[in-house]
Amino acid sequence: MDFFLDNLPLIFAFLMGVSMLLYGLLDGYDLGVGILSIIPSQRKHKDQMIASIGPFWDANETWLVLGVGLLLVAFPKAHGIILGNLYIPIFFMLAGLIFRGVAFDFRAKSRPQTQHLWDFAFFGGSLLTSLSQGYMLGFYITGFDQNVLSILFSIMVSICLTIAYVLIGANWLIYKTEGDLQIKAIKWARISLIGAVLCVALVSLGTPIANQHIFLKWFSMPNFLFLSPIPILTGLLILLMGYFLFLKMPQNKDDHSLLPFMLTIIISLLCFIGLAYSFYPYIIPTTLTIQDAASDRSSLIILFIGACITLPALLGYTVLAYKIFGGKVTKLSYD
């Protein structure tokens, strides 16, 4: 029992990380679809793209609320530092989420003459949200250093995360659509995969440079040997995705339509593991550890009871929603 109580902060750090990972994956693809929605000129393709995320997008954001909530109640010291340093990009992220949510509903009810404005608002909200989240991640990696290099690195991560969202969004469309739109999605996935490969290389090289602590954890021996399977496996999975996107698709039988999306999830999981290792045991890089930032033990016990109720409910709802609305997209209706 003492072992469990002593490690409650680590358990909540894990739960918070998993919540953020699930948010990045689930809301990531619908942000990517929102960014891509500006490309097609045909109304029916835009409607198909938005319909593909219709049953899921609102619930996907629940994981962001859960992650921030866990940060607030389990790590109040870290919550104050993180939000204090990121209040400007958080403001832009919330503005993007508001624009996206309003545009999603209003475009279906608007007159044909004004619908293009809501389409642009949906694209703009998705893009602004993606860029803001990437900037926050980059600034967090640098430990909130207020210098030019830190800002440039954060901007680079901002662009890279947006491209990653576009890739997972395109792969989602490959799975959920068919016909002309699926062929377009394959082309978008090919282009974004090339960009994502470049981004993975830039972030992988830039992160150790931006944070000396991470550099020492990854490139000192024997850590370098033990950790080498992560980048090697990531590279192999990227090659496998490229093989299917460039050489095996499209196919008449639609046999492999889910595979690129699943590969993107596995690659994201490997990147998350790498980041988690890089930061541990800190919740604020090189400044504040998980144990030091945690609430007192009695608060964590009460919170753990609540988490045991909330997490299964969220997971169950998520699985049920994806099971009910699985398969190819159908027309989105508000009648």
Side-chain angles (χ1 to χ4, degrees):
M1 179 60 71
D2 289 339
F3 177 81
F4 169 75
L5 295 175
D6 291 340
N7 287 281
L8 268 177
L10 299 180
I11 293 173
F12 278 104
F14 172 77
L15 293 176
M16 184 179 67
V18 169
S19 299
M20 292 302 186
L21 174 64
L22 287 172
Y23 169 76
L25 292 174
L26 299 179
D27 205 40
Y29 75 72
D30 60 56
L31 287 170
V33 171
I35 295 170
L36 290 169
S37 68
I38 199 66
I39 300 176
S41 57
Q42 292 179 290
R43 166 76 182 274
K44 65 176 184 179
H45 284 162
K46 290 181 183 291
D47 289 345
Q48 273 187 292
M49 294 171 71
I50 294 177
S52 73
I53 62 175
F56 312 109
W57 74 276
D58 206 7
N60 291 340
E61 294 175 359
T62 306
W63 294 101
L64 176 62
V65 176
L66 177 62
V68 175
L70 288 174
L71 176 65
L72 171 62
V73 295
F75 306 102
K77 294 179 182 178
H79 180 271
I81 295 173
I82 292 174
L83 267 66
N85 283 280
L86 297 178
Y87 65 92
I88 293 178
I90 287 174
F91 167 81
F92 283 111
M93 181 188 73
L94 293 176
L97 290 173
I98 292 170
F99 268 98
R100 193 169 67 116
V102 172
F104 187 93
D105 291 328
F106 275 51
R107 70 176 300 278
K109 298 293 186 180
S110 63
R111 294 175 295 176
Q113 301 92 318
T114 59
Q115 191 178 50
H116 68 281
L117 298 175
W118 294 114
D119 287 337
F120 187 78
F122 187 69
F123 157 76
S126 300
L127 180 62
L128 181 61
T129 301
S130 303
L131 291 172
S132 300
Q133 290 177 1
Y135 187 88
M136 287 189 286
L137 176 60
F139 204 42
Y140 175 80
I141 291 173
T142 63
F144 309 120
D145 286 340
Q146 301 285 347
N147 56 60
V148 175
L149 289 178
S150 176
I151 294 173
L152 291 176
F153 176 78
S154 301
I155 292 172
M156 181 188 73
V157 176
S158 176
I159 296 171
C160 291
L161 185 65
T162 301
I163 293 174
Y165 282 167
V166 170
L167 174 61
I168 194 172
N171 286 337
W172 172 257
L173 290 174
I174 293 172
Y175 165 58
K176 293 294 289 184
T177 64
E178 51 192 350
D180 292 341
L181 182 54
Q182 187 186 58
I183 293 174
K184 292 178 183 293
I186 292 171
K187 294 179 181 178
W188 298 335
R190 290 170 179 170
I191 296 171
S192 56
L193 177 61
I194 296 172
V197 170
L198 178 61
C199 289
V200 168
L202 288 174
V203 173
S204 298
L205 292 174
T207 299
I209 296 174
N211 191 310
Q212 187 67 20
H213 172 75
I214 295 176
F215 176 84
L216 293 175
K217 291 197 72 172
W218 277 85
F219 293 99
S220 60
M221 297 296 288
N223 292 4
F224 181 78
L225 296 177
F226 293 146
L227 297 170
S228 59
I230 295 178
I232 292 173
L233 184 56
T234 300
L236 292 175
L237 292 173
I238 290 174
L239 289 175
L240 182 61
M241 188 191 303
Y243 169 74
F244 279 97
L245 288 176
F246 284 92
L247 300 178
K248 302 291 288 185
M249 291 184 171
Q251 288 186 339
N252 293 330
K253 294 182 179 180
D254 202 33
D255 291 336
H256 306 295
S257 63
L258 181 59
L259 185 61
F261 182 73
M262 296 305 299
L263 288 174
T264 310
I265 291 177
I266 298 172
I267 292 169
S268 301
L269 178 60
L270 289 171
C271 293
F272 171 78
I273 292 172
L275 279 175
Y277 169 78
S278 299
F279 294 138
Y280 182 81
Y282 294 98
I283 194 168
I284 304 295
T286 69
T287 304
L288 187 65
T289 65
I290 295 171
Q291 295 285 354
D292 292 338
S295 298
D296 62 85
R297 182 175 292 184
S298 58
S299 299
L300 292 179
I301 293 173
I302 296 173
L303 182 59
F304 182 77
I305 296 172
C308 289
I309 300 172
T310 304
L311 280 172
L314 286 178
L315 287 171
Y317 168 81
T318 301
V319 172
L320 182 63
Y322 280 84
K323 183 177 181 180
I324 293 174
F325 297 102
K328 298 299 180 180
V329 64
T330 56
K331 183 178 180 181
L332 182 64
S333 174
Y334 290 86
D335 297 330

